[in-house]
Amino acid sequence: MIDVIATTLHDAKLAQENGADRISICTSINEGGITPSYGLIKQIKEVITLPVYVMVRPHNQSYQYNEDDIQTMVHDIEEARKLGVEGVILGCLTSERTIDEKTLKILLSASKGMDVTFNLAFDELHNQEEGLQTLLSYPEIKRVMTSGADKSALNGIPQIKKLLRQMRNENLIFVGAKGLKPENLQAFLSVTNLTEVCIGAGIRVNCQYTQPINEKSVQKAKEIMNKMK
């Protein structure tokens, strides 16, 4: 499954028309993603028939949130639900870089009935193995995004494989993210055997976050995913 990051309605249309399986909406993808506007979510949900996930992250300062931030996130989740969004992408850490379970429980309660993906906050954990055990205790969380705690998922392959061995018989889905593009996707998938990837800059013109989606890149990525089935 290919999850394409969209920052505009045009992005979402191009992704759907050229083979994406899911759309993730956010802004500031070069900063890890920020919650998009309600207007954009509404526009995309009115046009796109694919599952739509929304990033719930109020700022790019960190993945640590105070009470004001948490209330903002709960409100954003509630609004996304009203707009018919299928899933949310979220993550929260303590100052010790462990999973903030107190905040996580609040966000999961607000997200009840929606698919939940733990975002790249996972890659900032002090100990990913311990963090993974924590996430596995929350069945509401269906997916976790990771690059193996590296700047690129290609470089993070050894860590991703280590984590996959740890959760061999669990249902949590790993979503490969960061640095993936058609040119390296097959190599990544053949080694990790992941079934889902999230691609941002890798399917854009010149692999630049600030450029529009390249239709041929989406098509090529989809072809590669189909071959790996």
Side-chain angles (χ1 to χ4, degrees), residues 35-47:
T35 306
S37 71
Y38 302 151
L40 177 59
I41 300 171
K42 185 174 186 294
Q43 278 187 303
I44 288 177
K45 281 301 297 177
E46 287 175 348
V47 175

Side-chain angles (χ1 to χ4, degrees), residues 89-182:
I89 307 163
L90 51 84
C92 45
L93 305 180
T94 67
S95 57
E96 290 78 31
R97 291 165 55 204
T98 62
I99 292 174
D100 183 349
E101 293 191 70
K102 180 181 177 181
T103 298
L104 182 60
K105 289 174 182 177
I106 294 171
L107 299 179
L108 290 178
S109 177
S111 307
K112 190 173 182 179
M114 306 170 77
D115 277 358
V116 177
T117 299
F118 198 87
N119 64 23
L120 286 170
F122 182 72
D123 281 349
E124 297 193 10
L125 287 168
H126 175 68
N127 186 310
Q128 283 193 308
E129 289 77 10
E130 290 181 4
L132 180 56
Q133 285 303 121
T134 299
L135 292 182
L136 289 171
S137 67
Y138 293 93
E140 306 97 316
I141 299 174
K142 305 301 182 186
R143 295 172 177 81
V144 57
M145 298 176 69
T146 186
S147 64
D150 207 293
K151 292 181 179 180
S152 166
L154 269 293
N155 296 335
I157 285 175
Q159 176 66 3
I160 292 173
K161 292 175 70 175
K162 182 179 179 181
L163 293 168
L164 287 170
R165 288 194 295 271
Q166 181 180 338
M167 50 171 265
R168 189 174 303 160
N169 297 315
E170 302 290 346
N171 293 322
L172 188 67
I173 299 170
F174 269 13
V175 182
K178 292 176 68 173
L180 295 174
K181 52 188 176 181

Side-chain angles (χ1 to χ4, degrees), residues 173-200:
I173 299 170
F174 269 13
V175 182
K178 292 176 68 173
L180 295 174
K181 52 188 176 181
E183 291 77 10
N184 61 30
L185 188 56
Q186 184 168 341
F188 175 78
L189 294 172
S190 64
V191 175
T192 62
N193 292 318
L194 293 190
T195 58
E196 297 192 16
V197 294
C198 182
I199 307 181

